[in-house]
Amino acid sequence: MKKYLAILIALAMVLGLTAAFAEEEADPFADLGYYEMRIGHAQPETNVRHLSLLQFEADVEAATNGHIQVEIFANSLLGDDDTLPEQILVGAIEAMRGGHFALMPELVTFTAPFIAQNREEVSALLDSDLAKEICASAGAKVNGVILDVCDAAGFRQFSNSVRRIQTPEDMVGLKMRIAPGMDTIDYTFKAMGANTVSIPYADLYMSLSTGVADGQENPWLNIVTKKFYEVQAYFTEINYQFHPDPFIVNADWWNALPEEFQEIVQTAATAMGDYNDQLVDELQGAAKQTVMDYEGCEVYVPTAEELDLFVEAAQPVYEDMVEAGICTQEQIDEMFAIVAEVRGE
């Protein structure tokens, strides 16, 4: 009897060890703990920002065997573009995408008007050493780490409900909405003779519909996802700016992650940015067509000569940026040099 009991005990020990080894093999991160990652952003769930975040969520949860649980909050549910950076600062959330840059004015550098003209030039700017330096400085100001910076939905266009904008003279006297913290929009509109009014993104549709603002600027994708074409009649494809879309994580949360998880999250963040830009390129043409097809909307594309007038009118903006301390003249020159190299100039 004792012999059989010993055999049973030994068998149980072997089975227990086998199960333990199997569990360890199935979960190589068993000893690393579990982490929550709440990500906030201001765009609708149909926007490319959210779609690319969904890929990030799937990649991180799969690669960490569920040890990092990602939860995405769209539509400003955790805060709008103004307040999300503040929540990163105090550690109220683990991560965010986008945002306005009142707390991180260095990031506004990339919104200088008429810097880039295509995806290759935008990518060269955002992948540059200059971008790395700016992101390191900006992230530190909100106790954050910027893991990736991509394109916030493509080149930005003008719209209004009063008249066609064909040359800068058509801007004179229009009440144009500016995003809080995005001073280059303000400088650009004022350089062209428009008046400006600061309106949060979440309030923009209602403000346009009630006449608080005559017009606004946004990429085609944002115009469609927020249905601004329902309350605007005249659109001008001006491609005057692109905006950086930083992915910011709270530094304390990031530093507490095991190195293995940091590598996984960084890899997923880079892939997310690439996917975001791919979606922008694939979808913005269809978004523009949606506006063109909407009854009562007109899309005007300036001639090369007319576009030169807008570029000329925007020249004072660079000096305004330097005087405001957003960037240095050397940084503006460096951006133009990066783009010139892409163009082979």
Side-chain angles (χ1 to χ4, degrees):
M1 184 67 178
K2 291 181 179 179
K3 180 179 180 181
Y4 290 124
L5 182 60
I7 292 173
L8 288 173
I9 292 173
L11 181 59
M13 292 176 63
V14 170
L15 291 174
L17 288 172
T18 301
F21 287 139
E23 182 179 353
E24 183 176 349
E25 182 178 350
D27 184 4
F29 308 125
D31 297 330
L32 297 185
Y34 289 84
Y35 299 85
E36 179 183 33
M37 189 178 194
R38 295 162 297 174
I39 306 174
H41 71 93
Q43 293 291 357
E45 293 179 350
T46 53
N47 189 270
V48 293
R49 180 177 293 166
H50 189 79
L51 297 176
S52 58
L53 277 166
L54 291 176
Q55 174 180 287
F56 174 83
E57 177 183 20
D59 288 348
V60 168
E61 291 185 352
T64 64
N65 282 354
H67 279 262
I68 298 179
Q69 286 295 309
V70 178
E71 192 170 6
I72 304 166
F73 297 85
N75 287 303
S76 300
L77 287 178
L78 295 183
D80 60 17
D81 279 330
D82 299 314
T83 59
L84 283 171
E86 298 172 357
Q87 295 196 57
I88 292 291
L89 177 64
V90 300
I93 59 175
E94 288 73 44
M96 62 165 288
R97 277 274 301 274
H100 292 149
F101 306 133
L103 297 179
M104 302 171 287
E106 300 97 325
L107 290 172
V108 181
T109 300
F110 295 109
T111 68
F114 301 109
I115 286 286
Q117 296 178 358
N118 55 48
R119 166 64 56 214
E120 187 179 7
E121 293 170 7
V122 170
S123 295
L125 287 168
L126 295 182
D127 292 339
S128 66
D129 290 339
L130 174 63
K132 292 179 176 64
E133 294 169 6
I134 287 175
C135 286
S137 175
K141 290 187 175 179
V142 293
N143 189 34
V145 178
I146 297 179
L147 300 184
D148 187 76
V149 57
C150 55
D151 178 1
F155 288 109
R156 303 176 77 87
Q157 322 302 342
F158 295 164
S159 74
N160 79 102
S161 57
V162 179
R163 57 179 173 265
R164 174 193 290 180
I165 297 174
Q166 190 167 337
T167 70
E169 291 183 357
D170 299 318
M171 300 282 289
V172 176
L174 292 177
K175 290 186 299 181
M176 299 296 288
R177 175 261 181 176
I178 61 170
M182 303 301 292
D183 290 340
T184 53
I185 304 174
D186 186 41
Y187 299 153
T188 301
F189 282 152
K190 287 180 176 176
M192 296 177 184
N195 302 313
T196 59
V197 54
S198 179
I199 299 171
Y201 189 66
D203 300 332
L204 181 51
Y205 183 98
M206 183 61 67
S207 297
L208 294 171
S209 67
T210 58
V212 174
D214 296 323
Q216 60 89 52
E217 55 76 56
N218 256 294
W220 290 121
L221 291 172
N222 290 2
I223 289 167
V224 169
T225 55
K226 297 295 284 187
K227 298 185 177 181
F228 296 142
Y229 57 85
E230 294 180 346
V231 290
Q232 298 277 267
Y234 302 97
F235 293 81
T236 299
E237 188 171 52
I238 190 75
N239 293 341
Y240 87 108
Q241 273 187 346
F242 75 92
H243 284 187
D245 187 350
F247 181 51
I248 312 172
V249 298
N250 173 266
D252 297 329
W253 181 86
W254 175 254
N255 292 330
L257 281 182
E259 184 177 346
E260 295 94 326
F261 289 167
Q262 287 184 345
E263 292 177 0
I264 288 171
V265 172
Q266 178 62 75
T267 298
T270 302
M272 173 181 63
D274 292 341
Y275 183 51
N276 176 91
D277 292 352
Q278 175 187 333
L279 287 175
V280 169
D281 294 343
E282 291 176 355
L283 299 176
Q284 60 185 348
K288 174 185 173 182
Q289 191 63 49
T290 296
V291 177
M292 294 174 65
D293 292 343
Y294 192 77
E295 185 176 357
C297 285
E298 170 190 292
V299 174
Y300 181 74
V301 180
T303 66
E305 291 76 15
E306 290 167 343
L307 187 60
D308 285 343
L309 296 176
F310 285 103
V311 174
E312 182 179 355
Q315 292 305 301
V317 175
Y318 308 128
E319 184 176 346
D320 292 337
M321 293 172 65
V322 174
E323 290 182 354
I326 293 171
C327 60
T328 65
Q329 184 61 51
E330 288 75 17
Q331 288 174 320
I332 290 177
D333 293 342
E334 186 172 351
M335 286 194 295
F336 276 110
I338 291 168
V339 170
E341 184 175 355
V342 173
R343 296 174 184 172
E345 298 176 353

